[in-house]
Amino acid sequence: NVEYENGEGDVRNADDPVRKPVSVGEEVDSFEITDVSTSVTAGGTDTVEVEVRNNENYTVGSANAKMFVNDPLSSSDNSAFLGDMEPGSTETAVFKISATGDAVAKEYDASLEIRYDDSSGDTELEDDMSFGVPVEASSGGLPLPFVVAGIVVVAASGGVFVYRRRMS
């Protein structure tokens, strides 16, 4: 029902309900993931960079992104500050990510949530933004610490051999 004021200031009520069609646009997510890049390998640790675009028609404030992953991936640094984002602007969230040694070379599911302040200062949450994290096969070589340790052992053994030979 509608209540209105006529030209003389008198409050009136319409007896019959007023029906008027209203067009509602398609729902648009506040943020969109535009690109994901990483070179993490099975058994390794690297960074994953996730580009995020602000789809709102206003500047969002204090945007913070948080990444969620499951086995065989893990993250010791899963949050990134994006700051204020103008409408249509893109920021890159950088996270540290690791893959277990038995991870198969394929794309694994991950998700992102973004907490931000809207145009009226209220804190909002955009969640369930899924994306894939590609994991490459391990090169199969020995890890660098083992190679360095082997070189040190060989050098020390050679030094001991030369020293004993000169002493004899």
Side-chain angles (χ1 to χ4, degrees), residues 5-22:
E5 193 174 300
N6 68 11
E8 289 132 20
D10 299 326
V11 176
R12 303 282 185 207
N13 290 309
D15 294 331
D16 296 325
V18 176
R19 291 184 175 87
K20 180 78 176 155
V22 177

Side-chain angles (χ1 to χ4, degrees), residues 100-120:
T100 60
D102 60 350
V104 176
K106 68 175 192 174
E107 193 167 274
Y108 291 90
D109 185 46
S111 65
L112 196 68
E113 75 175 25
I114 300 177
R115 188 172 304 274
Y116 63 98
D117 295 335
D118 67 12
S119 59
S120 50

Side-chain angles (χ1 to χ4, degrees), residues 91-154:
E91 293 291 334
T92 303
V94 180
F95 307 101
K96 189 173 228 172
I97 194 164
S98 300
T100 60
D102 60 350
V104 176
K106 68 175 192 174
E107 193 167 274
Y108 291 90
D109 185 46
S111 65
L112 196 68
E113 75 175 25
I114 300 177
R115 188 172 304 274
Y116 63 98
D117 295 335
D118 67 12
S119 59
S120 50
D122 295 329
T123 300
E124 300 289 337
L125 179 68
E126 177 84 20
D127 58 356
D128 285 340
M129 299 172 61
S130 294
F131 62 97
V133 176
V135 174
E136 298 173 5
S138 175
S139 62
L142 290 175
L144 184 60
F146 291 125
V147 172
V148 171
I151 291 171
V152 168
V153 168
V154 169

Side-chain angles (χ1 to χ4, degrees), residues 63-74:
N64 285 290
K66 187 168 185 178
M67 180 181 67
F68 298 92
V69 294
N70 296 312
D71 284 338
L73 302 177
S74 63

